[in-house]
Amino acid sequence: MKLSTLSLALCLVASSLGIFTQAASATTISVKTEVVNIRVNTIAEGLENIWGMAFLPDGSILVTERTGRMRIISTTGKVGEPLTGLPPIVAKGQGGLLDVVLAPDFASSQKIYFSYTEPGEGDLSDSNSTAVSFATLNGNKLENLTRVFSQQPKINSNHHFGSRLVWAPDGTLFITLGDRYSEKDSAQTLDNHLGKVVRIHADGSVPKDNPFVNTTGALPEIWSIGHRNMQGAAINPNSKVLWTGEHGPQGGDELNIDQGGKNYGWPVITYGENYGGGKIGEGTHKVGMEQPSYKWIPSIATAGFIFYTGDKFPQWQNNILLASLKEKHSYA
């Protein structure tokens, strides 16, 4: 796989662009499409299943390969040897080594945070779940490995790990988590982490202002519920709130403004259908459940996205650059 200057989160090349503009209400999005001529420069080659990227202060890039390797790509495009010190990782199906972000205090701490598919132990050895750890980056080694989150329960499934990591302005960490495909109904209950966004402090502790902290029977890490599989997330630089991108089933991919305590509907409401056809849930609307800010029918297989704040493409300023895994396009 090639790593290009326009790869953003998932190394996809743009050939057409749909422009997302946040409306004043912060709940709807207008879209227009335009063709843009782009020159793509390859930085590095030979990487396998790139999942996450984080830019280091010197301009080099931390890259995760889903197969279980993390490397540093130099500013000249040299692909480094795999970093040592990673925890045990299950690299099957959609699982493996996933997102990576620098700690907010990276300049002094040298800490990085990363998500991965964690194997179960003992009677749960055939099961797995999404976990998040941090470690100190020391040259080509990861040291002082510390796990701060482990999705519960562990499931025997190789699908829907979610796993985007986003720092909030207050220093808390958002983690997006999939429903694990076989457990979609669990996305509607508060006694598990399946189909949820969770919010934790950097040390793994629970913020006291999380929405379900005082709800009996709820896991206190939970931020929002009713999700399918979110592989994109970013903080809006203007509103400072979390936005998430979510894979629908057959149709119904979503972009959501993700607010604490809200229910985003899956699998009770959706604009998608079962693979091969057939209704899911109760329809597209239900009282108490949020509508997507934007939806795709048919699906484009939404992946990583960012809010563009650079100066190289002024026409994209404050818009979302969003990668598609299906149509070989990127959307902005």
Side-chain angles (χ1 to χ4, degrees):
M1 178 178 287
K2 296 181 179 180
L3 185 61
S4 82
T5 54
L6 294 180
S7 60
L8 301 177
L10 287 170
C11 306
L12 301 180
V13 178
S15 62
S16 65
L17 298 166
I19 306 300
F20 295 94
T21 303
Q22 183 179 3
S25 65
T27 58
T28 60
I29 294 172
S30 61
V31 177
K32 64 180 180 179
T33 299
E34 63 184 62
V35 176
V36 179
N37 294 320
I38 297 171
R39 185 180 72 251
V40 177
N41 298 319
T42 298
I43 296 172
E45 295 185 270
L47 299 163
E48 187 176 3
N49 296 122
I50 299 170
W51 212 101
M53 296 168 52
F55 286 84
L56 295 168
D58 66 357
S60 59
I61 313 171
L62 268 176
V63 174
T64 63
E65 296 174 89
R66 187 174 49 77
T67 46
R69 294 182 295 268
M70 188 183 301
R71 303 177 189 265
I72 297 176
I73 311 299
S74 74
T75 55
T76 61
K78 181 181 178 180
V79 178
E81 291 297 315
L83 274 60
T84 61
L86 287 167
I89 294 170
V90 179
K92 293 182 179 179
Q94 297 170 358
L97 182 57
L98 303 172
D99 206 10
V100 59
V101 294
L102 306 185
D105 64 349
F106 178 82
S108 58
S109 72
Q110 298 296 295
K111 287 180 181 177
I112 66 168
Y113 285 69
F114 56 94
S115 57
Y116 56 98
T117 304
E118 177 185 62
E121 299 177 353
D123 293 340
L124 293 176
S125 60
D126 291 333
S127 299
N128 53 65
S129 68
T130 299
V132 177
S133 290
F134 71 77
T136 303
L137 180 63
N138 182 9
N140 215 46
K141 298 185 294 184
L142 296 178
E143 300 176 337
N144 305 316
L145 181 72
T146 303
R147 189 184 69 181
V148 292
F149 176 78
S150 180
Q151 183 187 34
Q152 299 299 321
K154 284 184 162 45
I155 300 296
N156 187 359
S157 170
N158 295 325
H159 303 287
H160 293 192
F161 294 91
S163 210
R164 196 59 65 186
L165 305 178
V166 178
W167 292 107
D170 64 1
T172 57
L173 180 64
F174 288 113
I175 307 167
T176 71
L177 300 165
D179 66 355
R180 306 307 313 281
Y181 188 74
S182 60
E183 304 293 324
K184 64 180 183 295
D185 291 339
S186 295
Q188 284 295 317
T189 63
L190 293 168
D191 59 350
N192 64 81
H193 296 130
L194 308 179
K196 311 295 194 300
V197 175
V198 302
R199 175 176 174 253
I200 59 174
H201 286 301
D203 63 0
S205 61
V206 177
K208 293 181 180 179
D209 59 347
N210 268 5
F212 299 108
V213 164
N214 297 316
T215 301
T216 301
L219 297 182
E221 301 87 4
I222 294 174
W223 173 258
S224 62
I225 73 172
H227 300 286
R228 186 172 182 267
N229 191 26
M230 297 162 287
Q231 291 188 338
I235 298 294
N236 184 306
N238 296 317
S239 66
K240 309 301 182 185
V241 300
L242 177 69
W243 289 45
T244 56
E246 183 167 336
H247 288 275
Q250 187 168 279
D253 291 357
E254 296 182 359
L255 189 64
N256 288 301
I257 300 172
D258 210 293
Q259 298 175 300
K262 299 291 187 179
N263 183 340
Y264 290 84
W266 177 257
V268 179
I269 59 172
T270 178
Y271 285 87
E273 61 181 13
N274 279 311
Y275 296 109
K279 182 180 178 181
I280 298 174
E282 300 178 16
T284 59
H285 292 70
K286 187 170 183 176
V287 174
M289 295 184 178
E290 303 302 306
Q291 285 292 299
S293 295
Y294 189 77
K295 59 185 181 294
W296 287 268
I297 304 172
S299 294
I300 64 166
T302 57
F305 70 84
I306 64 169
F307 286 88
Y308 183 72
T309 57
D311 58 7
K312 301 298 184 184
F313 305 97
Q315 71 271 33
W316 296 350
Q317 189 68 232
N318 295 320
N319 291 304
I320 286 175
L321 299 183
L322 182 146
S324 160
L325 296 178
K326 180 182 177 185
E327 303 297 344
K328 298 183 181 180
H329 297 320
S330 289
Y331 293 81

